[in-house]
Amino acid sequence: MNIEALQASWRAVERIGDEAIQYFYSHLFLAHPEVRDMFPIRMTGQRDKFFAALGRIVSNVESLAADPEFVVQLGRDHRRFGAVAAHYPAAGASLLATLAHFHGQRWTDELAQTWTDAYYAVADIMVNAAEQAADTPAWWDADIVATEKRSIDVTVHTIRPQQPYRYQPGQSLAIEIPQRPRLWRYFSPANAPRPDGTFDIHVQVVDGGEVSATFARNARPGDRLRLGAPVGNAFVIPPGAVDNLLLIAGGSGLAPLRAVLDGIEQ
């Protein structure tokens, strides 16, 4: 695989920006209209996610074999969108068509083969990761059981999963609310796991956010949510790992740190 050519060609497409992103999704939805329902109605924020993830993979392709965790997590996460193995060739064909369109005469057979090899190497990792996670739910159903308004812009929702949901203090999880289907956003529980399975989510309104204002102001007890698997270890502190701890955060960023303190105090 010609990594230098791969990365150089990707940088060329990145410079094109939104036009390339729109071309990719237009090609995908025209060629495979059956996948359109997997995506939000409004694609404003969603459009960038595929290219952002791909850019991260291409930039770090040299270390992919030694550290595939980012791609593995992508494969696990895509289960909650309904992605299956048959969808990867569809996305791959649209990606190659996008690259070919914007490279014009610079799109050689050798470059096309390099991208094909790279894409399917990543796709294989994602498909295998999804298959290995098949014994865990693609998502967990949960209910809002209580809501407390802390300020005009901050609300605390108490959530109870309908199935056992195990996470570590400091981790985060993707949440889909019924008012914004297929728009998943990450939040951190503000407490360590409780015996009754509930946890608190601090929601702060973000200017221009497609989810936060609705989640903070319109979600109510009784609403049914979907939860993704817990992710992240940056804030996970094993019991007894430190003698002195200084935690600094602001706004809703306090949530994972409160969970860490809660876990230590237990």
Side-chain angles (χ1 to χ4, degrees), residues 143-157:
D143 299 303
I144 298 178
V145 296
T147 294
E148 179 186 352
K149 300 287 186 181
R150 295 284 177 87
S151 73
I152 191 172
D153 288 335
V154 177
T155 300
V156 177
H157 294 299

Side-chain angles (χ1 to χ4, degrees), residues 193-210:
R194 296 169 177 152
D196 67 357
T198 64
F199 56 83
D200 295 336
I201 293 291
H202 292 195
V203 184
Q204 183 170 13
V205 175
V206 177
D207 289 342
E210 294 184 275

Side-chain angles (χ1 to χ4, degrees), residues 16-232:
I16 295 168
D18 286 348
E19 187 180 354
I21 296 171
Q22 292 173 4
Y23 187 96
F24 167 78
Y25 280 108
S26 297
H27 188 282
L28 178 62
F29 295 155
L30 285 171
H32 296 276
E34 71 277 7
V35 307
R36 181 61 182 89
D37 286 344
M38 296 170 59
F39 295 85
I41 296 173
R42 293 185 59 197
M43 293 287 292
T44 306
Q46 182 67 31
R47 283 193 310 226
D48 298 346
K49 291 186 177 181
F50 177 84
F51 270 50
L54 187 58
R56 176 172 173 177
I57 293 168
V58 172
S59 299
N60 298 281
V61 68
E62 298 97 330
S63 60
L64 182 59
D67 184 17
E69 184 55 34
F70 175 70
V71 177
V72 167
Q73 190 62 52
L74 280 179
R76 297 190 195 113
D77 287 349
H78 273 66
R79 296 187 306 139
R80 70 173 183 259
F81 305 119
V84 297
H87 292 138
Y88 287 88
S94 292
L95 173 62
L96 293 173
T98 301
L99 293 165
H101 175 79
F102 287 102
H103 278 82
Q105 294 182 352
R106 294 171 297 165
W107 187 249
T108 63
D109 290 343
E110 180 182 359
L111 187 56
Q113 190 61 54
T114 293
W115 268 100
T116 299
D117 293 344
Y119 177 82
Y120 281 99
V122 171
D124 285 346
I125 294 174
M126 293 178 67
V127 169
N128 289 334
E131 290 175 349
Q132 291 171 12
D135 59 342
T136 62
W139 66 79
W140 285 255
D141 289 319
D143 299 303
I144 298 178
V145 296
T147 294
E148 179 186 352
K149 300 287 186 181
R150 295 284 177 87
S151 73
I152 191 172
D153 288 335
V154 177
T155 300
V156 177
H157 294 299
T158 300
I159 295 171
R160 177 181 289 121
Q162 295 186 357
Q163 303 164 268
Y165 187 87
R166 297 177 178 85
Y167 68 91
Q168 294 178 280
Q171 288 190 302
S172 61
L173 60 142
I175 297 179
E176 180 196 49
I177 63 175
Q179 296 89 347
R180 293 291 184 268
R182 299 185 293 281
L183 284 174
W184 294 76
R185 294 293 185 269
Y186 279 92
F187 297 88
S188 295
N191 57 276
R194 296 169 177 152
D196 67 357
T198 64
F199 56 83
D200 295 336
I201 293 291
H202 292 195
V203 184
Q204 183 170 13
V205 175
V206 177
D207 289 342
E210 294 184 275
V211 174
S212 63
T214 300
F215 197 8
R217 295 170 178 163
N218 301 113
R220 297 287 185 270
D223 283 354
R224 179 69 48 84
L225 313 177
R226 286 180 173 180
L227 314 177
V231 298

